[in-house]
Amino acid sequence: MRFGVLTGGGDCPGLNAALRGVVVRASRSGHETVGFLDGWKGVRDGLARPLAPADVAGILDRGGTILGSSRTNPFAKEADAARVLDRLAAQGIDVLVAIGGDDTLSAARELHRRGTKVIGVPKTMDNDVRGTDWTFGFHSATAVAVDALERLRDTAGSHHRVIVLEVMGRHAGWVALGTGLAGGADATLVPEEKYDEAALMDHVRAGVRARGYALVVVSEGIELEDRRGSTASSDEFAHELLRERGVGEAVARRIQSATGVETRSAQIGHIQRGGTPDLFDRILATRLGSGAVDLALAGRFGQVAVLRGNAVTGIPLDEAVGPPRTVTPDWLDLLHTFEP
Ligand code: F6P
């Protein structure tokens, strides 16, 4: 078999480990792999390079993706969709492994519906793909945010201030939850919960009373009543670029005016997406990359390699694509247990 592979959507730590997983597993089973550059753009425009095991040696611990990525939607125009099918045929691709989040997997599902053999691999720092317990990239990216919160704690403590940290995550609060829980924030605001200003100020005041400072984590996806209909720009899949709304800064202003305590905000943005994948993400990405090849070899096309409990298995693309997998009430209950 001739495998094609691409990495689409926002990059995250572990993509290179997943590519290595695909290439090495395919090669060990007697198959070859071609990598498409810059996500679906590379398939549409015929930008590809052969990937042999030697090409993926030494990339396991490198952040980003050696293939490049983009937020290109190959089905935005029918002419592009036709080009995608032609290019795959021209490259002699038997099965395409699409590594990405919901947008990339939606495009993979559309391609599968049009008769191409496709396998999906879920990745995203947002941890919001349906049908898998964890996505790789999440643990590494959230560890960066926890590190940032701990640094902010030092300066907040020295100046007796409140500091608000805004983190990524789109419309799922997993990154904020992980940061607040592992970093010991006084309050964590996630998109899954309605903004409650009175409760937020209570937590902040309690933190300041107890230690002289307070830390608040805000997910970029929360809604503040007066910021609806914001003018933030959108990507090719019509997703608003949420960080442009600056909700962390807005929350900081509200805290200062309600409590009278000097308040600052920080937005770490894409810093969260860079750097070496941690142990969990390296191993998960390796398992899912090689699991995708195993699904193809078993003829299970149109499936996504996912983690369920501690096992890698396959589920139909239809089950993985859809609204984001958001934070569940049991996690929120745990999070709020540790807020003052
Ligand atoms: O989906 C991953 C993510 O980092 C989100 O958390 C964030 O909202 C978005 O990508 C940012 O997109 P871009 O890299 O296109 O600015």
Side-chain angles (χ1 to χ4, degrees):
M1 258 196 240
R2 191 165 155 88
F3 283 85
V5 65
L6 65 85
T7 52
D11 67 334
C12 68
L15 282 169
N16 286 325
L19 287 172
R20 175 174 169 272
V22 170
V23 172
V24 173
R25 187 67 149 195
S27 169
R28 288 284 162 105
S29 320
H31 306 283
E32 54 183 13
T33 306
V34 170
F36 288 97
L37 309 186
D38 299 341
W40 292 109
K41 181 172 181 286
V43 186
R44 182 193 67 194
D45 299 345
L47 308 170
R49 58 177 269 208
L51 284 180
D55 299 310
V56 294
I59 66 167
L60 175 64
D61 61 338
R62 277 179 50 198
T65 160
I66 59 162
L67 287 181
S69 191
S70 70
R71 295 197 185 276
T72 305
N73 180 356
F75 295 103
K77 293 189 215 127
E78 203 43 49
D80 284 353
R83 283 173 70 189
V84 162
L85 294 172
D86 288 349
R87 302 289 194 191
L88 289 171
Q91 287 281 347
I93 301 300
D94 296 303
V95 51
L96 181 67
V97 177
I99 306 176
D102 187 62
D103 296 332
T104 305
L105 297 178
S106 306
R109 178 176 64 171
E110 184 55 33
L111 197 58
H112 177 65
R113 283 179 176 160
R114 293 176 188 227
T116 301
K117 290 176 178 149
V118 175
I119 303 286
V121 173
K123 68 84 216 171
T124 165
M125 63 159 283
D126 301 340
N127 197 38
D128 63 351
V129 176
R130 304 170 77 79
T132 187
D133 289 352
W134 299 103
T135 55
F136 65 80
F138 167 74
H139 282 78
S140 308
T142 305
V144 172
V146 171
D147 177 65
L149 191 69
E150 288 171 351
R151 289 167 193 267
L152 294 172
R153 177 194 58 203
D154 295 348
T155 170
S158 304
H159 288 266
H160 317 294
R161 285 173 172 161
V162 179
I163 301 194
V164 176
L165 173 65
E166 180 187 312
V167 298
M168 284 182 166
R170 260 195 190 143
H171 300 291
W174 294 108
V175 178
L177 172 119
T179 308
L181 201 53
D186 296 287
T188 300
L189 308 185
V190 294
E192 288 83 354
E193 292 183 307
K194 195 169 168 0
Y195 177 70
D196 180 344
E197 183 142 322
L200 169 64
M201 300 312 163
D202 283 350
H203 291 309
V204 168
R205 287 193 189 96
V208 170
R209 259 198 316 276
R211 302 183 309 271
Y213 69 92
L215 295 173
V216 176
V217 176
V218 171
S219 168
E220 64 175 359
I222 66 161
E223 292 293 346
L224 299 172
E225 325 78 56
D226 57 354
R227 297 185 69 85
R228 280 180 197 281
S230 88
T231 51
S233 40
S234 302
D235 65 23
E236 265 199 40
F237 284 88
H239 297 300
E240 216 185 9
L241 299 182
L242 295 170
R243 66 193 300 274
E244 290 180 10
R245 304 184 314 156
V247 288
E249 200 189 325
V251 167
R253 277 198 302 271
R254 289 173 184 219
I255 291 173
Q256 178 157 322
S257 99
T259 65
V261 182
E262 195 175 28
T263 304
R264 298 283 191 267
S265 69
Q267 190 189 50
I268 50 171
H270 293 82
I271 292 171
Q272 288 155 100
R273 294 222 307 244
T276 185
D278 69 5
L279 172 73
F280 183 85
D281 285 338
R282 287 183 201 191
I283 292 177
L284 179 58
T286 300
R287 291 178 79 194
L288 294 184
S290 92
V293 172
D294 293 344
L295 287 174
L297 297 181
R300 293 171 65 181
F301 304 112
Q303 297 225 332
V304 182
V306 296
L307 184 72
R308 288 279 174 88
N310 201 23
V312 169
T313 185
I315 61 169
L317 273 159
D318 270 340
E319 269 180 46
V321 168
R325 189 176 67 91
T326 49
V327 174
T328 46
D330 53 330
W331 279 106
L332 293 171
D333 181 50
L334 183 71
L335 173 69
H336 297 317
T337 302
F338 297 96
E339 291 174 345

